[in-house]
Amino acid sequence: MNSESQNSCAVGNLTNLTGQADGNLVAITSGATFSAACGLGSGTAPTATLNIAPTALTAGQTQATITWTAKNVSSCNTTGTSAGVATEFPNAWTNTNVSCANNQCTGGTNTVTTTPILNGTDGTYTFGLQCLTASGNAGVFATQSVTVSGSSGGGGGGTSCTQGSTGDIPNFTALCSGVMTLHNPGITTLGPSAYTYSFVFGAPWPGSYYGDTMVFSVGSTQFLAIPFTPSPTGGVNFSENQTYTPKPLTMAISKQPGVFGTYNSSGASTDTTGNVICGQSGGNPSLKASSTVPYPLGTTCKLNSSQQYWLNIALAQYNAANGQWITTCSSGCTIGIGLYTGN
């Protein structure tokens, strides 16, 4: 009470105080007085709430409404949010480090709607809100968890890329979501979104952005890992567009994210483990993939329908002479991939 301002709630005329075992005081008095500021919602204590409805979601179908409030705080951010939320709910919870007053934070939106992605991972996801006081102290936290079921990835997490995960190229990590620039020939920026096959190529296998180029900005040691499951028919050519990819790269279709294998001096895959279906390393690689049996002439990536695969792409080149990887871009790195019909 001593730290409250004159306009805040105060209690006076307390007598005959006794203490509880935990140190809290209990007032035993009939003459206590309360200031006019006392009542519901009075005082200057920081408060924050976070509610999500419903809390049981079906991937790709159920839309959730996230509602939050903050009072008597200076700013709020999404501390306490589990790492998987950014991938499972792309661009759904981005109210980070915004200034606040009463129940509204400048630059933030108190109600957000979102839907878990179909090809994500079943499980429990926690959304968090941390609000700071004017003095910079972490005033209050609020969290809410939801469960996701019905993902094509099931419970094993096999069909969604994990941001920052590693593969077999030393020091490279996965870039799983963000924006993409579509050139067809006009320029359209799409996302941010998880880099699913439908997002990157316009539709489920085999896709719809034929003749277009998809351009990504990546770090010098990041790889793309795009999950897909081919249907019994259809085929495509994945080709580097050198206009937007001025550096050599490695492209592979594998059974695991970020697995590229090894290559000979001509840049052809020499993998013998069975993890890499096909791949090329060097300048201007192209992969012709098909799940149609008999396979079309010239098919380099013979796929089985209904099996999970990954299109892995990295700005790195395999040196067959010493068995080591060479990073081919140091800054301002972009990857441009074209999609063409393969049958």
Side-chain angles (χ1 to χ4, degrees):
M1 294 298 178
N2 291 335
S3 64
E4 297 284 345
S5 68
Q6 292 182 350
N7 295 326
S8 298
C9 177
V11 183
N13 196 31
L14 296 178
T15 59
N16 300 322
L17 300 180
T18 61
Q20 289 183 326
D22 64 1
N24 292 323
L25 290 175
V26 176
I28 309 297
T29 179
S30 59
T33 59
F34 297 85
S35 69
C38 289
L40 182 64
S42 62
T44 58
T47 61
T49 66
L50 177 64
N51 297 292
I52 304 178
T55 56
L57 310 176
T58 301
Q61 298 182 27
T62 310
Q63 188 174 69
T65 301
I66 307 170
T67 304
W68 61 278
T69 64
K71 189 173 183 179
N72 300 320
V73 299
S74 62
S75 65
C76 291
N77 59 64
T78 55
T79 297
T81 300
S82 59
V85 167
T87 300
E88 186 69 27
F89 302 85
N91 199 33
W93 189 232
T94 57
N95 295 302
T96 303
N97 295 327
V98 291
S99 60
C100 301
N102 296 321
N103 289 329
Q104 179 68 49
C105 292
T106 304
T109 303
N110 287 74
T111 300
V112 179
T113 55
T114 185
T115 305
I117 60 174
L118 179 60
N119 71 329
T121 305
D122 289 352
T124 300
Y125 295 84
T126 299
F127 292 75
L129 181 70
Q130 177 197 47
C131 295
L132 310 181
T133 62
S135 62
N137 295 325
V140 284
F141 284 87
T143 60
Q144 178 68 61
S145 296
V146 299
T147 58
V148 176
S149 60
S151 301
S152 60
T159 61
S160 61
C161 176
T162 301
Q163 182 75 20
S165 60
T166 59
D168 60 357
I169 301 180
N171 302 317
F172 272 66
T173 58
L175 177 65
C176 301
S177 62
V179 298
M180 177 187 79
T181 303
L182 177 66
H183 296 253
N184 65 339
I187 301 175
T188 304
T189 300
L190 303 176
S193 172
Y195 289 151
T196 64
Y197 192 94
S198 293
F199 171 75
V200 174
F201 298 112
W205 175 271
S208 64
Y209 290 155
Y210 294 119
D212 301 339
T213 299
M214 287 60 73
V215 181
F216 307 85
S217 294
V218 300
S220 60
T221 57
Q222 288 182 314
F223 62 82
L224 301 177
I226 303 168
F228 69 96
T229 301
S231 61
T233 59
V236 296
N237 276 338
F238 300 113
S239 299
E240 174 195 351
N241 187 320
Q242 292 189 304
T243 300
Y244 307 101
T245 318
K247 307 293 184 180
L249 57 75
T250 300
M251 184 188 309
I253 294 179
S254 308
K255 294 180 180 179
Q256 296 175 337
V259 173
F260 291 85
T262 57
Y263 298 82
N264 61 24
S265 58
S266 299
S269 173
T270 57
D271 179 75
T272 59
T273 66
N275 290 324
V276 179
I277 306 303
C278 57
Q280 291 185 4
S281 183
N284 201 25
S286 178
L287 301 178
K288 184 175 182 178
S290 179
S291 55
T292 302
V293 180
Y295 295 106
L297 184 66
T299 298
T300 55
C301 307
K302 297 180 179 180
L303 310 178
N304 295 323
S305 62
S306 302
Q307 181 173 329
Q308 170 70 42
Y309 297 100
W310 299 82
L311 176 62
N312 296 311
I313 309 171
L315 285 167
Q317 186 173 4
Y318 188 79
N319 187 334
N322 58 19
Q324 295 182 352
W325 287 94
I326 302 169
T327 302
T328 60
C329 179
S330 58
S331 63
C333 308
T334 59
I335 294 175
I337 301 298
L339 179 72
Y340 303 91
T341 182
N343 288 350

